[in-house]
Amino acid sequence: RLVKSGKKKTLDHVFFFSIPIKEPEIVDFFIKNTLKDEVLKIASVQKQTRAGQRTRFKAFVVIGDYNKYVGLGVKTSKEVSNAIKKALNIAKISVILVQKGHWGQEIGQAHTISVKVTGKCGSVRLRCIPAPRGTGIVAGKIPKKMLSIAGYQDIFTSSRGHTRTLGNFCKATFAAISSVYSFIAPEFWRKKTESKLVLNV
C-alpha cells in the first residue's frame, strides 16, 4: 500500500525505515530493469515413503543489480521450472542493501567491503576481507558470483568447512554480506555541525 500510494519513492527508503518486504512485486516495481538473476544449482532431493522414493528438485537462485542489491532464494518443488520460479520470488523478498567501503584512503567510489566479516552456515565458514583497488574478487566459484552480483569489485575471502555443500556455501556468503550492516564504519558516520553556545550574561 505504501509503495502503491507513492509514499515510498525508492527501495533505499524502504530499507531506511526497516520495513519488511512482503511481496516480490515491490522489488519489481523499483528495480525491475536493473535486476539480474542466476541459478546457482538445481539439486534433486529424495524422500523415502511407503510407495517408494519421492524425488523433488531444489533450486538455489541469486538476484542482484551488480551495484547495491542482492538476494538469495532456495525452494523445493516437484518440477524444476516451479522450483526456480518460487526461489526467484523468495530471493526478491530477501533482498538486502549492500554496504561498500574503501581500502585505505577514501579515493574514488567505494569498491570493497568496509570491514572484515564472517558468515556461517552448517560447517561452512566464509570470511570476507577488504582488498586494495585492482585486486578483484579472490574467492571460489560460488562466492565470486554472489559477491560480483552484489556489486563488490575487490575482496579477499577465506573459507573453512565442507564447502562442497553448495547450499551452505551460498547461505554463508549471503550471511557474510548481510552482516556488514551490523557495524557502521567511521566513513559512514553522520557529520554533525558543531553549534556554538551563546551565554546571555
Side-chain angles (χ1 to χ4, degrees), residues 7-26:
K7 288 182 180 178
K8 296 287 174 266
K9 305 287 184 190
T10 60
L11 202 56
D12 291 5
H13 206 208
V14 174
F15 287 118
F16 184 78
F17 291 101
S18 300
I19 301 167
I21 298 168
K22 298 284 180 74
E23 298 170 6
E25 288 78 17
I26 293 168

Side-chain angles (χ1 to χ4, degrees), residues 26-40:
I26 293 168
V27 177
D28 286 335
F29 181 81
F30 288 121
I31 53 169
K32 190 178 181 180
N33 298 330
T34 56
L35 211 61
K36 301 279 187 293
D37 59 84
E38 195 166 333
V39 180
L40 297 174

Side-chain angles (χ1 to χ4, degrees), residues 1 4 8 19 47 53 56 73 80 88 131 136 153 158 198:
R1 286 181 194 166
K4 207 172 184 181
K8 296 287 174 266
I19 301 167
K47 183 184 178 183
Q53 288 183 338
R56 297 170 85 198
V80 176
L88 191 60
Q153 294 167 10
S158 141
V198 180

